[in-house]
Amino acid sequence: MVVCGDDGLAHRLAAELRGVYGEQVTLVVPASERSVRPPVVVRARSASALLDRVVTAAAGLTGNGTGAVTSAGTGTAVGEPPGGIRLMEAAEPTEAALAAAGVERADALALVYDDDETNIRAALTARRLNPRLRLVLRLYNRRLGQHIEELLDQAAVLASGGPADGTGFDASTTVLSDADTAAPALAATALTGTSKVLQTGGLLLRAVERPPAGAGVSAGPGLATLALLSQTDSQGRADDQGPALLPDAAAVRDGGGRATVVLEQVSYAGPALPDGRGVMPWFASLFSRRLRWSLAGMVGCVVALAVALWLVTGIHPLRAFYLTLLDLFAIDDPAIGESVGRQILQLLSGLAGLLLLPVLLAAVLEALGTFRTVSSLRKPPRGLGGHVVLLGLGKIGTRVLTRLRELNIPVVCVESDPEARGLATARRLRVPVVLGDVTQEGVLEAAKIHRAHALLAVTSADTTNLEAVLYARAVRPDLRVVLRLYDDDFATAVYRTLRAAHPAASTRSRSVSHLAAPAFAGAMMGRQILGAFPVERRVLLFAAVEVGGHPQLEGKTVGEAFRAGSWRVLAREESGDAPGLAWDLPDTYVLQPSDRVVLAATRRGLAELLGRWGARAGT
């Protein structure tokens, strides 16, 4: 595997490929990485060490916080790749640099530079050097990325003399962006407290560790049992056998004293967000709440004037209403010679008509969509609780908002820029928005932070995210908080301090590179790889595989295709009017060649099933 980049994502991706998938990795970084980044890393580490000493002194601890580093997921510092990774310096990913990195012999290449043009230029060069190379590109322009993906795939097929439709061809091109890959993990973290999730078939899945049977904790339903964890003694020490991956039913039944790892769907079961549409959703979608109240007030005023005219003159109520409308619209019918009461009511009706004109004009403009101001945004409804407060509606915040609403999670957004790109999405999804600087007093209170389930701070400013989290913790010490921080070392320092100051609360600090690296690594392993979950010192892979061409699956039942410790079929893709995944496959279902299934496998098991990777896939 070859990884080329100029920021923390490249280092994080290399560590993911080496540590999780056990691949041989060549990391190509600019020469300035050693002269520029290390001082920044050193300063971050010094700040982290200082905070650790303060926390240790305050909490009376004696450890060095190594467990906190693992929990926060900092991994290896920028500029210091982990063991087993070959480091190479190159100013730009030129043809000579790619050749020196071994692209001609590599299985996959990731181009994660912060510049779209650099990644595209290098991808075109790499595809010419090795047509069978799997390419993973980081592009911010999503529409351009789709065209580049099709172009490179077509070039690979033609250069290798393969079939025109690419059938049976493994040289794939995958274009990813930071926002799209980080959003599912951020959404899952706000809901469950973990960012290690698997996205497939429109679902978010996570691996949950459950205590042994009879431990006094309800097991609850799960999609599948993935592993039996190592047996522990009275001192909490694990045995040397390690976990049992993908156990069969007998092993699960006989392993009653061992904790299990179960696959679960990430879902929300709390209160729903009131939509506020009432009995006329079309009317609510056309006009803002303020305009609806104005129209209701004008209607009430007309009715009151008509009733007053009826009582004063004694005429028929319908005639009184008709005359009131004539006066309201200034139709010439002066009340000369009428009673004083009638004349006064006519003057009041004319005045109400003048007030009605701007209201009608605003209604027409809003209905046409030409006068949509920030006043048309929804406000948090009264009595709202159990929701997620989302700070920032930029590129990543917008993706996170969309993912949260797909999970039916109630959200209240906070944004300081009235021209932010995510406001249109919030308006379309009918999500309440509080406009204001989150560092100002009263803004988080307006978002009902005291009754919220979690706070997601994903603005582009680290200090703003940190200040918002600290203020929210002052209001709600037990609030679950997730904050996005750019630098991994800074994220670790913040995580340790917040965890020590609020041990009973859930705290997660993540960098975008930390959240995006697993998706990039999975794409480098092939399009069929959906993700991976670590289980103690071992790893379970999840892949989408075509049944046709695999004798271990084709024509066999789900029960017969299951091989304990190697692979297990979990779901089958359904087509038709409602595409999705069928997770309740009976053991008697016969797998057809046209089926596409999702399975869990060990590295060695998947290598055997797919007939590639060979011995270097390891165990």
Side-chain angles (χ1 to χ4, degrees), residues 573-588:
E573 286 190 7
E574 293 182 328
S575 57
D577 298 335
L581 292 175
W583 291 93
D584 54 347
L585 288 178
D587 289 343
T588 56

Side-chain angles (χ1 to χ4, degrees), residues 354-408:
L354 294 176
L355 297 176
L356 180 62
L357 288 178
V359 176
L360 292 177
L361 179 61
V364 172
L365 293 176
E366 274 208 1
L368 295 176
T370 59
F371 196 59
R372 287 287 187 173
T373 65
V374 293
S375 62
S376 62
L377 295 170
R378 293 188 64 198
K379 304 298 181 184
R382 294 182 179 179
L384 177 65
H387 58 288
V388 174
V389 177
L390 176 63
L391 308 184
L393 285 175
K395 182 177 60 176
I396 291 182
T398 303
R399 300 284 192 278
V400 173
L401 171 62
T402 303
R403 200 69 186 94
L404 289 172
R405 292 307 295 140
E406 288 175 354
L407 295 172
N408 295 319

Side-chain angles (χ1 to χ4, degrees), residues 215-226:
V217 180
S218 176
L223 298 177
T225 300
L226 300 178

Side-chain angles (χ1 to χ4, degrees), residues 201-335:
L203 302 178
L204 284 179
L205 308 175
R206 62 168 180 161
V208 181
E209 182 178 335
R210 291 181 176 173
V217 180
S218 176
L223 298 177
T225 300
L226 300 178
L228 292 172
L229 298 181
S230 302
Q231 186 78 41
T232 57
D233 55 19
S234 57
Q235 283 77 31
R237 292 174 298 186
D239 57 24
D240 297 332
Q241 296 181 356
L245 301 183
L246 301 176
D248 54 21
V252 174
R253 184 175 58 253
D254 297 338
R258 304 172 66 177
T260 59
V261 177
V262 179
L263 188 67
E264 283 186 353
Q265 178 183 349
V266 176
S267 59
Y268 176 74
L273 182 67
D275 58 12
R277 296 191 178 189
V279 295
M280 292 188 296
W282 61 269
F283 187 78
S285 63
L286 283 178
F287 306 116
S288 63
R289 178 181 297 180
R290 183 178 301 177
L291 186 56
R292 295 199 300 269
W293 278 109
S294 299
L295 290 174
M298 292 304 304
V299 171
C301 181
V302 172
V303 172
L305 289 172
V307 172
L309 181 60
W310 168 48
L311 295 176
V312 169
T313 61
I315 61 176
H316 192 275
L318 291 179
R319 180 173 174 78
F321 187 75
Y322 171 70
L323 292 177
T324 300
L325 290 180
L326 290 179
D327 296 336
L328 191 69
F329 296 121
I331 298 178
D332 190 17
D333 187 16

